[in-house]
């Protein structure tokens, strides 16, 4: 009997475009996960996969938008505040976009409005800001959960849901493989957090330092989690040279991370062979006994 697979897509902003290669690799292997978890951009990619989109579907959709600046600008204009009152809500905050409006403008139609309509179970993380804990959504409204998970501090406004103020799920759980560790035989984790890199020896800006510090924090969380439990497979595409909002660099990022497909396929083959070998030895042991 073939093993079942679960996959956890990590947070990382534009670096999460590399998740598309992972989905394509699983498609090519004929693997359909029975459980998916995601944080931030990983939650959005996970929702695409859970809704039945193939890796090619997601790839084509992302390129059709992000490869054209005019299309991105048009959708951002569509996501602008509906009224002056909304724009002025809680004071003028020009640096904080409404992530729910932006997702509405950018999400593909294939992603439904509720978790119940998904074809594969999905768990979406967010951070309960005042509750000081992780929030996990797996039922009810899907779009607000995705918005909360992707609400990067200082870029997007927090999201209110169920009386809680929610921000980026990657803050508490950057690669949520632990949420599905009991839901499948083989668990895959995809880490696209990256780490600060020296870019031409330039002094980093205040924004670079803020996002870089967040990367370091998230990597520390991941390292600590890995000491407690590990996914069967963990892949880390080479995404560190890209910033969290480098979505318009989709072509370069995808070209530079394509080798992750072959790496994942090798790791899947290795883990499946090891499981099959252990199963055969187990059956032989019972026969001898």
């Amino acid at each position: 009997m073939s093993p079942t697979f679960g996959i956890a897509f990590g947070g990382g902003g534009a670096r999460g475009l590399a998740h598309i290669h992972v989905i394509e690799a699983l498609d090519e292997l004929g693997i359909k996960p029975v459980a998916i978890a995601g944080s931030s951009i990983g939650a959005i990619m996970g929702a695409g996969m859970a809704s039945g989109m193939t890796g090619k579907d997601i790839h084509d959709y992302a390129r059709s938008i992000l490869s054209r600046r005019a299309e991105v600008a048009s959708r951002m204009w569509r996501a602008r505040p509906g009224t002056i009152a909304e724009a002025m809500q809680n004071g003028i905050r020009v640096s904080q976009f409404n992530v729910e409006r932006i997702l509405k403008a950018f999400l593909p139609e294939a992603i439904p409005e509720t978790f119940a309509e998904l074809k594969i179970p999905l768990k979406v993380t967010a951070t309960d800001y005042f509750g000081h804990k992780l929030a996990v959504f797996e039922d009810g409204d899907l779009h607000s959960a995705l918005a909360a998970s992707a609400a990067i501090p200082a870029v997007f406004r927090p999201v209110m849901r169920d009386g809680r103020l929610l921000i980026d799920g990657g803050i508490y759980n950057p690669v949520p493989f632990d949420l599905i560790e009991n839901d499948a035989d083989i668990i895959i984790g995809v880490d696209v957090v990256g780490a600060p890199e020296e870019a031409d020896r330039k002094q980093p800006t205040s924004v670079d330092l803020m996002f870089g510090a967040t990367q370091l924090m998230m990597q520390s969380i991941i390292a600590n989690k890995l000491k407690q439990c590990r996914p069967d497979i963990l892949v880390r595409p080479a995404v560190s040279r890209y910033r969290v909002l480098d979505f318009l660099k989709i072509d370069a990022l995808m070209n530079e991370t394509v080798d992750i497909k072959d790496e994942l396929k090798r790791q899947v083959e290795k883990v499946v062979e090891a499981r099959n070998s252990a199963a055969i030895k187990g059956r032989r042991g019972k026969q001898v006994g």
Side-chain angles (χ1 to χ4, degrees), residues 27-246:
D27 289 343
E28 290 166 14
L29 290 170
I31 293 173
K32 183 178 180 180
V34 297
I36 301 173
S39 290
S40 199
I41 184 69
I44 295 169
M45 292 292 179
M49 190 180 199
S51 69
M53 295 180 75
T54 65
K56 184 179 185 304
D57 291 337
I58 299 172
H59 199 158
D60 290 346
Y61 182 82
R63 279 188 186 277
S64 72
I65 296 171
L66 301 177
S67 293
R68 297 184 292 160
R69 287 179 178 270
E71 180 65 21
V72 172
S74 172
R75 288 173 184 257
M76 288 297 291
W77 175 252
R78 217 180 300 167
R80 72 193 186 282
T83 64
I84 293 177
E86 182 181 346
M88 298 289 288
Q89 187 178 20
N90 298 321
I92 299 175
R93 297 184 179 184
V94 294
S95 64
Q96 291 195 0
F97 296 100
N98 185 320
V99 66
E100 293 179 89
R101 278 185 168 274
I102 287 177
L103 283 189
K104 185 176 181 180
F106 281 89
L107 282 181
E109 291 184 2
I111 295 180
E113 293 187 2
T114 66
F115 281 88
E117 297 171 83
L118 294 173
K119 297 177 180 178
I120 302 172
L122 172 69
K123 294 181 181 180
V124 172
T125 71
T127 297
D128 184 344
Y129 185 75
F130 290 118
H132 313 156
K133 61 184 179 181
L134 182 71
V136 179
F137 299 99
E138 51 187 315
D139 54 33
D141 183 73
L142 175 59
H143 287 198
S144 64
L146 296 179
S149 191
I152 302 170
V155 177
F156 299 119
R157 295 178 192 169
V159 171
M160 286 294 300
R161 173 168 166 158
D162 303 331
R164 292 182 290 178
L165 189 76
L166 303 165
I167 61 172
D168 191 349
I171 299 295
Y172 246 87
N173 199 338
V175 188
F177 55 82
D178 53 312
L179 299 183
I180 55 171
E181 60 182 342
N182 297 318
D183 296 340
D185 298 322
I186 297 173
I187 303 299
I188 301 170
V190 189
D191 174 10
V192 292
V193 171
E197 283 194 346
E198 291 185 88
D200 302 323
R201 299 278 177 180
K202 291 179 181 177
Q203 181 71 20
T205 66
S206 296
V207 173
D208 290 335
L209 288 170
M210 179 186 69
F211 286 133
T214 302
Q215 283 178 286
L216 295 175
M217 179 197 70
M218 293 166 73
Q219 286 294 4
S220 177
I221 293 171
I222 294 169
N224 187 55
K225 278 181 59 181
L226 291 173
K227 291 178 182 177
Q228 300 171 46
C229 64
R230 297 186 67 91
D232 299 283
I233 297 170
L234 179 64
V235 292
R236 286 176 158 140
V239 293
S240 290
R241 67 183 295 258
Y242 292 94
R243 293 183 173 91
V244 70
L245 298 177
D246 276 347

Side-chain angles (χ1 to χ4, degrees), residues 247-264:
F247 287 99
L248 292 174
K249 295 182 179 179
I250 180 172
D251 292 330
L253 190 153
M254 296 300 285
N255 288 337
E256 290 182 27
T257 56
V258 68
D259 58 347
I260 202 67
K261 292 177 68 173
D262 288 336
E263 179 187 335
L264 177 60

